[in-house]
Each structure stands twice: as C-alpha cells, then as structure tokens.
Amino acid sequence: MAEPFGRGRIVRPARYPVGAVDTSHFEVVEIDVPAPEPGEVLVRNTFTSVDPGMRLRLRERGPAGYFGEFALGAPMDGILTVGEVVASRAEGFRPGD
C-alpha cells in the first residue's frame, strides 16, 4: 500500500435501522487516505446522492435483484457522487478534473 496521502472521513453504517433512520445508525470515521497507485486517481467527493432507494440497502439483506446491503462498519459503496481529482497516477486525469 502507498504512503498515506493525508487524512479523510468516511461514513459507514453502525447498525441497521428498524423504523425511521437517524444519525445514530451511522458513524463518521477518520482514516488515512493512501496515495494513488499507478492507474488510480484520488477524488474528493463534493456532492453525494442520498435518495429513498438507499433505504433498501440499510437492511440485513437487500432485496433480490437490487444492490446488495451496506455492510456494517464498512464504507458505503455504490453511491453516486460528483467529485474533484486531488491526485492522479492515471493517464487522462489530472488534479482539478
């Protein structure tokens, strides 16, 4: 793994909700962000999609034929975001893209 590029934050589910979803169902964790390896880019997310369909992934088992459930204690994957390239080691991408 590459040397840390810096520090960042991730949001991850802490427990699956029963009923209404609130902040107690999530945790924000600070982590070391690795520098990009060859062929990779590091992107700072500036906008993130939060929509009602994500509620289906906040269950122990996601519905058949849909995205899988979010794993407890892991970063929330498969979410649509818009971001800016911070560092790049991939052809065709440069900081600021």
Side-chain angles (χ1 to χ4, degrees):
M1 181 188 289
E3 288 294 314
F5 183 82
R7 300 285 290 166
R9 292 176 302 208
I10 59 171
V11 176
R12 59 189 190 189
R15 62 188 178 95
Y16 294 116
V18 176
V21 178
D22 64 41
T23 57
S24 72
H25 297 105
F26 304 93
E27 56 189 359
V28 178
V29 180
E30 200 166 296
I31 62 164
D32 285 327
V33 176
E37 297 283 349
E40 294 180 338
V41 296
L42 176 62
V43 175
R44 176 183 296 118
N45 293 339
T46 53
F47 295 95
T48 300
S49 172
V50 178
D51 61 78
M54 291 174 65
R55 178 64 176 94
L56 295 172
R57 298 188 66 196
L58 288 170
R59 305 182 338 178
E60 287 188 52
R61 293 219 183 274
Y66 195 67
F67 295 100
E69 62 280 347
F70 290 123
L72 295 181
M76 297 170 68
D77 65 338
I79 295 175
L80 299 177
T81 62
V82 175
E84 179 181 342
V85 175
V86 176
S88 175
R89 293 191 62 199
E91 189 175 318
F93 293 94
R94 57 193 159 99
D97 287 352

